[in-house]
Amino acid sequence: MLLPLILASTMLQSQNLVIYKGATLEGQHLRYWDVTDTVLDSAQPDVNLGGEYAMSSGTGKVVLVKFGGLDRVAGANRKVKHARLVLSFSSLEKPVLNSIGQVLVPWGEGPILTLNAARLAAPRYDEAGKLLEVKTPPAPRWSATWRQRRAGEIGWQQSGAAGPSDVRPIEGAKLVLLNDHEFAIDGLESTFQGMIDRWYENNGFALKLDSQTEMASSQSPEGRPRLELELEPGDKKHGPDLSVVRIDQSANGEYTAHVKNVGDAPSAGFSGSWSVREKGGSSAEVAQTIEPGLEVTMTYSTPYKPNPFDHISDPVGFRIKPKGADASASNDFLEIQQGAATLDFVFDSKTAELLAGDSTSLEDWAQSQVRILNDEVLSQSRFSFAALGALERVRVGRVDIGPPVGVNSPLVADVSSDSVQVRGPVGMTPLANACEGFFLSQMGLSTGHGTYGVSLGEAKQMNGSGQARFPGLMGWGDTENDGALASQINLPYQAVFNPIFEGIRPETTDLLSASLVALINRSLGGTYKPETLTNLPKTILVRALDYNGFELKNAQLSFYQSVDRTIPDSPPAFTLATTATSATVLLPTKDAPGGQANPFGPLTNLRAAFLVKAVANESTTWAWLPAWELFDAASRGNVSASVFDLYFNAPSVPIDLEANLAKNRILTDSSNKLPAQLAALVDQDLTTTSALGNKVGDWVEIDLGRDRPIAEVSLAFKGTNFWKRFDLVTYSTGQRVDDGVVWSRELDLDWSLANRASDEGNGLRSVAYRGSAMRFRYLRLVNKLDNAGAELAEIKVFAAKPAP
């Protein structure tokens, strides 16, 4: 497989960075997710509060905040010119700083807060209104509480992280009130410099406030903790550079650390020490001179056996202290998880030369990639059923130059110079793609893209590939964090309006999908079997709806099953019909030898899907039902039964497509253009376009001359440069726009263009909007998101057919 390469390089100019959880950073192929925080509360000494949306301060409370992976964000050889930590608060009392310190030991944020966990923790009362005793469950293993930094394993030196080995005070730091809802901690430059230079010493900050202040956490939808950094170029360092390039693990509990001089001058040796589960182990010294390119090994044996079901809290580490000069401290420590999957790296010679020219050793580059995968991608891909993310970890195995001969692990990253992308901070996309192949192949599954081909003749014109809205790194599945939802509520995988999700908008990431995380976690311990993929909900019902959420009754539904991610030109697998009283149908099941019967039959790939045709009101429309959606429902607890809402862009009445009622009508817009400047939108020539405003609230309006019964509005686009989210508002003669109603909504134009557009030729595509048939005269399109630009080719309006 090819692994696109992104090199770390020294930037030649100063750079200002604003970093928070989910931030998009220039030059990064992965958004920044490695922010963790929690509160240590003396009143709840054994409770982990890391998944909460807010953090509170005051007497007996300590706030912990960590921004990880700063070496990736900053890039190589960068100096911190200015740094501040910014927190938002909602309480009326102004924050008063007591102290801030650098945490010296690792701690665990704990799981995200899910709706189910919140219900269990909520106070309960009997019929008389008396508070019932609530038994607080123990803190999740390896999470931080007032008493312990790793619950169930390792305590703080003093409770509340108060010991000198827990936290070191930061002298000179001060609180600055920025406005009535934000404050900053300034004077953190040297501390952040150390966190960039030595990533393994970055355990975040411990903050104490004398005020009772409520602050947004990294889980909050708004006001998350942020880091503001001003960086400037540093000097490239030369000389000896000892690096712990890898740690090997044997089946009998023996670990071997490989220490290599990756610099350009001889090294005087080092002293080294082991740690197991963050507790000190044996130490040793190497006094010999180590020439550039040479390595020495240190071996350590322990009787501990890895936990096959948990690869996130069994670390083994090795740290060195060079005896003489050493160019970089960033590679003086390495930690692996016992039982982690092994990844071999094989570079071609040209790529190796590029990395050498960037003063980056192959081994250090490989370790940086794996660290991003472990600390961000696997750790932060969190869901209701995976509140700690994926429980697997990866470690570097062999690192070589040349063809992949003699590979000693099932996961190989073939790093080719043909795949070199831009030079910038190290990215993540390549390694994640390689790891998908590993995880799925280990589970007996096939890999592949997340869209579908269509050979079915009558469906070819639909121009829809089944592209997921929030697929993440793998191009398939869904990355929405469903923790705040009841398990019975399925996510709206299509871009349609659902009032439930106007108030609760699950956060999406560019990490791993829910399906893949569920598969990874099920595979731990070697207990996973491919046939368990058929563990979809035992009873699957589909409710047919139109894009406005109304039931699609008296419709015929035909289900065409994919073969190798293509819908063949063959009869449907089965056909069902909704009735005048119910739009819900029960999917039939097929036998699956070795597994549970399900609608697909034998299932070895979650990218299998049904393409569903709905015929209603003289129109044919289509929708996708992938197997991974059903699998996700079962993962969320809906094992016995689940109801899926399947949306079709179906009209509420038959449409008269013979006459375009918008032809040559008068238009106006929010920027007061002359009608002639907007005429291209109604000239029936799709090659002409008009530019519109691109700010929230901008609009364009067409006057149809009189009230008419409308069933469809069609918009034609040239490319994708138009509003990504907008409303279609209608009102009648004698009404004002304030009296208008939202007739239809576009929530995600990019998704609509990819999944339900009609190809008009010459790079033009049109999307049909079909609200409930109603009479109106004025149609106004209203922009709901700021956009880089806005260009529209045509507006067409079609009436409802007269009733027979």
Side-chain angles (χ1 to χ4, degrees):
M1 64 185 72
L2 289 180
L3 180 68
L5 173 65
I6 304 172
L7 301 177
S9 66
T10 301
M11 303 174 190
L12 301 179
Q13 73 282 345
S14 295
Q15 182 184 28
N16 294 321
L17 294 176
V18 177
I19 307 167
Y20 53 88
K21 190 170 188 176
T24 299
L25 302 177
E26 183 178 358
Q28 302 280 322
H29 282 240
L30 178 75
R31 283 190 287 162
Y32 180 77
W33 294 103
D34 195 5
V35 184
T36 51
D37 49 41
T38 190
V39 175
L40 312 180
D41 188 351
S42 59
Q44 305 175 81
D46 298 311
V47 176
N48 169 254
L49 301 171
E52 303 283 347
Y53 291 99
M55 304 181 292
S56 59
S57 65
T59 303
K61 294 182 179 181
V62 181
V63 175
L64 303 183
V65 181
K66 174 186 173 183
F67 289 80
L70 295 179
D71 53 332
R72 167 173 83 90
V73 174
N77 302 314
R78 305 292 285 169
K79 289 185 177 180
V80 179
K81 186 177 181 180
H82 181 254
R84 62 166 36 169
L85 172 65
V86 180
L87 297 166
S88 64
F89 66 97
S90 57
S91 50
L92 296 177
E93 184 178 356
K94 291 183 179 180
V96 178
L97 180 64
N98 177 295
S99 66
I100 184 171
Q102 181 179 359
V103 184
L104 302 177
V105 289
W107 49 274
E109 179 185 40
I112 60 170
L113 181 65
T114 65
L115 181 63
N116 186 50
R119 284 174 174 170
L120 292 176
R124 294 190 292 274
Y125 303 87
D126 62 17
E127 294 180 355
K130 181 181 178 180
L131 180 65
L132 298 173
E133 181 181 358
V134 178
K135 292 184 178 181
T136 303
R141 184 168 173 259
W142 215 242
S143 66
T145 68
W146 176 262
R147 298 187 205 271
Q148 296 183 298
R149 63 182 180 88
R150 299 293 197 184
E153 296 283 340
I154 309 172
W156 296 103
Q157 186 184 37
Q158 294 182 27
S159 294
S165 297
D166 295 325
V167 175
R168 178 173 58 234
I170 300 174
E171 302 298 334
K174 61 181 181 180
L175 186 148
V176 179
L177 191 63
L178 301 180
N179 48 53
D180 60 1
H181 64 276
E182 287 186 324
F183 68 91
I185 307 295
D186 276 333
L188 304 176
E189 287 78 14
S190 62
T191 304
F192 275 115
Q193 186 69 64
M195 291 176 173
I196 292 173
D197 294 341
R198 293 176 295 280
W199 59 268
Y200 45 88
E201 292 184 357
N202 177 11
N203 297 299
F205 300 93
L207 179 67
K208 294 181 181 180
L209 298 179
D210 288 332
S211 54
Q212 295 188 13
T213 304
E214 185 168 284
M215 296 157 281
S217 78
S218 61
Q219 314 296 335
S220 174
E222 298 179 345
R224 293 175 172 179
R226 72 176 186 269
L227 171 60
E228 297 179 356
L229 287 178
E230 183 180 353
L231 305 171
E232 59 185 1
D235 298 326
K236 284 189 176 183
K237 297 180 180 180
H238 297 277
D241 184 10
L242 293 180
S243 172
V244 186
V245 294
R246 78 175 189 272
I247 296 176
D248 293 334
Q249 172 185 320
S250 68
N252 60 4
E254 186 173 84
Y255 298 88
T256 301
H258 297 253
V259 180
K260 182 177 180 179
N261 185 354
V262 298
D264 54 15
S267 170
F270 63 91
S271 60
S273 59
W274 288 90
S275 61
V276 178
R277 299 179 60 74
E278 298 179 357
K279 298 177 183 178
S282 66
S283 59
E285 291 197 11
V286 173
Q288 70 190 66
T289 299
I290 305 174
E291 297 292 335
L294 296 183
E295 71 176 38
V296 297
T297 58
M298 308 292 289
T299 300
Y300 178 73
S301 297
T302 174
Y304 181 80
K305 294 183 179 181
N307 181 347
F309 302 103
D310 175 7
H311 292 172
I312 67 173
S313 54
D314 289 332
V316 171
F318 187 70
R319 181 168 182 175
I320 62 172
K321 293 184 178 180
K323 291 182 175 296
D326 195 70
S328 174
S330 66
N331 50 16
D332 290 351
F333 175 75
L334 180 61
E335 183 178 80
I336 67 168
Q337 289 290 339
Q338 300 181 67
T342 303
L343 169 64
D344 287 344
F345 284 82
V346 180
F347 297 81
D348 71 2
S349 58
K350 186 176 180 180
T351 303
E353 290 175 5
L354 286 169
L355 282 168
D358 221 36
S359 298
T360 305
S361 73
L362 303 183
E363 294 89 349
D364 288 349
W365 184 88
Q367 291 291 356
S368 70
Q369 296 286 282
V370 165
R371 197 162 66 247
I372 297 167
L373 176 64
N374 287 334
D375 294 348
E376 294 201 56
V377 176
L378 291 166
S379 174
Q380 295 297 330
S381 297
R382 299 184 173 193
F383 306 94
S384 62
F385 55 85
L388 288 169
L391 301 180
E392 180 63 279
R393 293 295 181 263
V394 175
R395 62 185 176 91
V396 174
R398 186 169 65 94
V399 177
D400 275 341
I401 301 174
V405 178
V407 171
N408 57 15
S409 74
L411 176 58
V412 182
D414 182 7
V415 188
S416 169
S417 60
D418 294 334
S419 299
V420 174
Q421 296 181 3
V422 298
R423 296 172 71 85
V426 175
M428 185 55 236
T429 303
L431 185 54
N433 288 335
C435 285
E436 179 200 25
F438 165 71
F439 288 127
L440 295 186
S441 64
Q442 287 293 92
M443 293 180 283
L445 307 175
S446 58
T447 61
H449 54 77
T451 57
Y452 306 92
V454 178
S455 298
L456 182 65
E458 62 176 316
K460 286 184 177 180
Q461 79 280 4
M462 72 175 222
N463 194 35
S465 61
Q467 176 179 308
R469 286 191 71 192
F470 309 111
L473 289 167
M474 303 310 158
W476 66 283
D478 190 86
T479 62
E480 294 173 276
N481 180 354
D482 64 324
L485 298 176
S487 61
Q488 296 84 2
I489 300 176
N490 288 313
L491 291 163
Y493 296 111
Q494 296 167 269
V496 296
F497 176 75
N498 187 321
I500 294 176
F501 294 93
E502 287 300 291
I504 303 175
R505 293 191 178 181
E507 181 173 39
T508 63
T509 71
D510 43 15
L511 305 176
L512 304 182
S513 69
S515 300
L516 187 54
V517 170
L519 289 173
I520 290 171
N521 289 350
R522 291 185 184 197
S523 71
L524 292 174
T527 59
Y528 181 84
K529 296 181 179 180
E531 60 265 23
T532 60
L533 266 185
T534 57
N535 284 350
L536 309 182
K538 294 180 181 179
T539 300
I540 300 173
L541 298 108
V542 168
R543 187 170 62 146
L545 304 174
D546 66 19
Y547 269 29
N548 296 294
F550 296 111
E551 290 191 337
L552 193 59
K553 297 179 179 179
N554 294 319
Q556 180 173 290
L557 306 179
S558 299
F559 292 74
Y560 298 85
Q561 186 169 340
S562 67
V563 177
D564 295 329
R565 291 184 295 280
T566 296
I567 302 297
D569 194 1
S570 57
F574 52 88
T575 298
L576 306 172
T578 65
T579 67
T581 58
S582 175
T584 302
V585 295
L586 173 66
L587 299 192
T589 59
K590 300 178 183 178
D591 290 335
Q596 172 192 304
N598 71 92
F600 294 91
L603 186 62
T604 59
N605 192 322
L606 284 179
R607 262 67 61 84
F610 287 121
L611 176 60
V612 188
K613 178 178 72 173
V615 179
N617 295 317
E618 301 181 9
S619 294
T620 298
T621 56
W622 303 84
W624 290 93
L625 182 60
W628 61 259
E629 292 184 14
L630 310 179
F631 181 74
D632 284 1
S635 298
R636 299 180 67 225
N638 300 302
V639 176
S640 297
S642 187
V643 179
F644 283 83
D645 288 340
L646 202 57
Y647 293 87
F648 298 90
N649 189 32
S652 59
V653 296
I655 307 170
D656 183 0
L657 296 173
E658 296 300 320
N660 173 17
L661 302 180
K663 179 182 177 182
N664 296 328
R665 290 295 177 181
I666 301 297
L667 295 105
T668 54
D669 78 338
S670 53
S671 57
N672 295 316
K673 288 186 176 67
L674 294 174
Q677 294 175 292
L678 301 170
L681 300 181
V682 291
D683 62 358
Q684 297 204 125
D685 182 354
L686 299 186
T687 64
T688 61
T689 61
S690 290
L692 301 174
N694 57 12
K695 301 298 183 184
V696 171
D698 283 337
W699 53 268
V700 62
E701 181 177 287
I702 184 170
D703 180 357
L704 300 177
R706 59 182 174 85
D707 292 341
R708 299 168 182 268
I710 305 302
E712 177 180 305
V713 173
S714 177
L715 304 180
F717 307 93
K718 188 174 184 179
T720 60
N721 189 28
F722 192 64
W723 304 333
K724 303 308 178 186
R725 181 171 179 153
F726 54 89
D727 288 346
L728 288 78
V729 178
T730 65
Y731 60 106
S732 303
T733 302
Q735 290 184 317
R736 299 175 302 176
V737 67
D738 292 342
D739 301 319
V741 297
V742 177
W743 184 70
S744 186
R745 291 178 169 90
E746 175 57 79
L747 302 183
D748 188 343
L749 181 61
D750 290 338
W751 181 89
S752 294
L753 289 173
N755 285 277
R756 65 183 196 90
S758 296
D759 189 353
E760 304 290 350
N762 298 318
L764 289 156
R765 287 174 292 175
S766 64
V767 176
Y769 299 89
R770 295 166 172 173
S772 297
M774 62 182 297
R775 297 182 66 86
F776 59 83
R777 174 176 175 177
Y778 300 97
L779 169 69
R780 176 176 289 199
L781 311 183
V782 183
N783 185 23
K784 307 299 288 186
L785 287 177
D786 286 340
N787 202 62
E791 191 175 30
L792 187 61
E794 195 74 16
I795 302 174
K796 296 181 180 181
V797 179
F798 299 101
K801 282 186 177 180

